């Protein structure tokens, strides 16, 4: 596969959503060998009861958000086609409009739109689909539909292409940081996050975050198939918001800390709903999201979660983790059939 195609994959997929297969409940934690006090046990009982109630109440959701991304001076300019990549000579901002996210049960779908470089790029076709990612219990598919970045420079050729990965031994996904706050707010017991009471210790039940009194608790997670290194995670819970998560951190050895915050508005039917959130990887990138529309428990068209591609799309279809012998390459024909092609032809068509 060519360098250009590999670079495309990295710069399109990484900032928005990572959907990776993993075994059931693959988030492993150290044994809770320190007895909890009566007070700590009561606090955790209340928090996890509220979380379960929220998880059980929200069967489906559809959020539309705008995003502002800031990359610090000295970061690699991933929009460039030069090799090696140049670096930004100042803090660089990108804006994105109308990104959509759906969840129904264990099925996920994200549709992203172009990222516009500020101030060079003129914001046109802001709702154009750049990428679509779909994941269910055993299959993940990504459709790269159009150029992900608008910089104001002459447009570069872009060929649509798709990737599919099947893992019959897996029923959970790992979420990237950008969308993690939405899950922490509404579905904190989603399998790939799966905060469990027995993992957690209360650190401070009067911790302050943005002027809000919170309960801070944390867990330490040992390496697993999903996460290769040990990490420490902490949450700040707002009792005044039915124990919704206001702030969170993730610390991993030899990696920058990841920090997130969530703001809420109260819905008269569904309670506290995220209105804004931010995710920062210290020294690398800052993502700031603002909710423009949302729907809870409304019927979702099944086609939203269909692993299908438009005619003419070259596709890499990977089985059982994607070893070379388990990858099939094909092109979707006009009648919906799949014409087998070689790896070399796939790379050529995807780079066109």
């Amino acid at each position: 596969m060519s360098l250009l195609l590999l670079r495309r994959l990295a710069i399109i997929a990484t900032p928005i959503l990572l959907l990776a297969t993993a075994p059931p409940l693959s988030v492993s934690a150290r044994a809770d060998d320190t007895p909890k006090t009566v007070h700590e046990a009561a606090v955790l009982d209340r928090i996890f009861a509220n979380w379960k109630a929220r998880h059980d109440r929200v069967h489906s959701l559809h959020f539309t958000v705008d995003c502002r991304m800031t990359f610090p001076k000295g970061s690699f300019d991933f929009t460039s086609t030069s090799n090696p990549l140049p670096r930004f000579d100042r803090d660089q901002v990108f804006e994105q409009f109308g990104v959509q996210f759906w969840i129904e049960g264990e099925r996920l779908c994200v549709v992203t739109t172009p990222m516009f470089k500020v101030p060079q790029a003129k914001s046109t076709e802001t709702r154009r689909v750049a990428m679509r990612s779909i994941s269910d219990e055993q299959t993940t598919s990504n459709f790269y539909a159009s150029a992900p970045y608008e910089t104001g420079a002459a447009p570069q050729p872009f060929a649509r292409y798709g990737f599919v990965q099947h893992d019959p031994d897996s029923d959970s996904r790992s979420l990237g940081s950008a969308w993690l706050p939405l899950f922490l707010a509404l579905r904190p017991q989603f399998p790939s996050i799966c905060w469990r009471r027995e993992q957690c210790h209360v650190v401070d039940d009067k911790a302050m975050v943005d002027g809000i009194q919170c309960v801070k608790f944390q867990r330490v997670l040992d390496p697993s198939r999903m996460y290769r290194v040990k990490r420490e995670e902490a949450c700040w819970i707002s009792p005044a918001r039915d124990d919704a998560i206001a702030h969170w951190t993730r610390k991993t050895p030899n990696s920058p800390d990841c920090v997130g915050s969530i703001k809420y508005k109260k819905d008269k039917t569904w309670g506290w709903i995220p209105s804004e959130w931010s995710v920062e990887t210290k020294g690398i990138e800052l993502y700031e999201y603002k909710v423009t529309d949302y729907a809870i428990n409304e019927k979702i068209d099944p086609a939203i979660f269909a692993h299908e591609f438009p005619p003419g799309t070259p596709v890499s279809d990977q089985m059982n983790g994607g070893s070379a012998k388990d990858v099939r390459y094909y092109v979707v024909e006009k009648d919906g059939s799949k014409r087998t092609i070689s790896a070399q032809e796939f790379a050529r068509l995807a780079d066109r």
Side-chain angles (χ1 to χ4, degrees):
M1 192 174 296
S2 73
L3 177 62
L4 176 59
L5 181 55
L6 290 173
R7 181 178 292 174
R8 276 188 186 177
L9 294 177
I11 65 175
I12 297 175
T14 302
I16 305 302
L17 179 69
L18 173 63
L19 295 172
T21 55
L25 297 180
S26 61
V27 177
S28 59
R30 290 180 173 180
D32 182 7
D33 53 9
T34 304
K36 291 178 172 58
T37 66
V38 173
H39 173 70
E40 180 182 20
V43 170
L44 290 174
D45 283 345
R46 185 198 76 225
I47 290 171
F48 278 87
N50 278 334
W51 282 10
K52 184 179 186 304
R54 188 177 301 120
H55 184 98
D56 292 345
R57 185 168 65 246
V58 178
H59 305 295
S60 68
L61 58 84
H62 176 205
F63 272 65
T64 304
V65 302
D66 293 341
C67 179
R68 183 179 178 88
M69 295 150 279
T70 303
F71 300 91
K73 177 181 177 180
S75 301
F76 285 110
D77 182 357
F78 42 78
T79 68
S80 174
T81 57
S82 300
N83 190 18
L85 288 175
R87 295 177 182 268
F88 292 123
D89 59 6
R90 59 181 175 84
D91 288 358
Q92 182 59 59
V93 174
F94 289 81
E95 291 182 342
Q96 191 176 30
F97 307 94
V99 177
Q100 297 187 78
F101 181 87
W102 292 263
I103 180 171
E104 185 176 68
E106 304 303 324
R107 298 187 298 176
L108 315 174
C109 177
V110 176
V111 173
T112 71
T113 56
M115 303 177 199
F116 294 90
K117 190 175 185 179
V118 178
Q120 290 92 334
K122 183 179 179 181
S123 296
T124 59
E125 295 184 284
T126 59
R127 300 302 178 101
R128 185 186 80 230
V129 174
M131 183 182 74
R132 184 196 67 209
S133 293
I134 298 171
S135 181
D136 54 36
E137 293 184 352
Q138 296 185 348
T139 302
T140 296
S141 66
N142 295 313
F143 173 49
Y144 302 92
S146 66
Y149 295 102
E150 295 288 348
T151 65
Q156 297 293 321
F158 188 95
R160 299 187 300 179
Y161 53 96
F163 282 84
V164 181
Q165 185 175 31
H166 308 275
D167 191 341
D169 298 322
S170 171
D171 71 350
S172 65
R173 270 79 56 212
S174 171
L175 293 168
S177 301
W179 291 96
L180 181 59
L182 186 55
F183 277 76
L184 289 172
L186 295 174
R187 297 182 67 81
Q189 293 176 311
F190 189 76
S192 59
I193 303 171
C194 201
W195 279 83
R196 299 198 297 272
R197 181 190 179 282
E198 64 272 14
Q199 299 172 337
C200 303
H201 286 286
V202 173
V203 177
D204 186 352
D205 62 1
K206 292 182 174 58
M208 299 298 294
V209 173
D210 296 331
I212 302 170
Q213 183 170 306
C214 295
V215 176
K216 177 185 177 182
F217 64 81
Q218 67 182 31
R219 64 180 181 177
V220 176
L221 301 176
D222 287 328
S224 66
R225 178 184 167 193
M226 186 189 302
Y227 298 102
R228 301 298 185 183
V229 296
K230 182 179 73 174
R231 70 193 191 282
E232 178 183 301
E233 298 181 346
C235 282
W236 284 254
I237 310 302
S238 172
R241 293 169 175 76
D242 299 329
D243 293 320
I245 295 174
H247 189 74
W248 60 273
T249 61
R250 176 182 292 168
K251 298 178 182 293
T252 305
N254 302 317
S255 297
D257 291 348
C258 195
V259 178
S261 293
I262 310 172
K263 295 182 179 179
Y264 296 85
K265 290 184 178 179
K266 193 166 188 180
D267 184 285
K268 63 181 181 180
T269 301
W270 305 111
W272 295 99
I273 300 295
S275 59
E276 299 178 35
W277 66 84
S278 65
V279 180
E280 181 179 10
T281 304
K282 292 292 189 177
I284 297 179
E285 57 197 13
L286 169 65
Y287 294 86
E288 299 169 285
Y289 293 85
K290 185 173 183 179
V291 176
T292 59
D293 196 14
Y294 69 90
I296 306 292
N297 287 353
E298 292 187 1
K299 187 179 172 85
I300 299 176
D301 185 344
I304 293 292
F305 302 106
H307 299 284
E308 297 178 355
F309 301 94
T313 305
V315 179
S316 170
D317 194 334
Q318 305 177 355
M319 294 293 297
N320 303 319
S323 62
K325 62 183 179 60
D326 291 327
V327 180
R328 175 195 177 196
Y329 300 95
Y330 62 83
V331 170
V332 179
E333 301 284 26
K334 290 183 178 180
D335 62 0
S337 62
K338 301 172 182 178
R339 176 174 60 85
T340 299
I341 59 176
S342 66
Q344 292 75 19
E345 185 176 0
F346 170 81
R348 180 182 62 80
L349 292 172
D351 273 357
R352 186 179 56 215

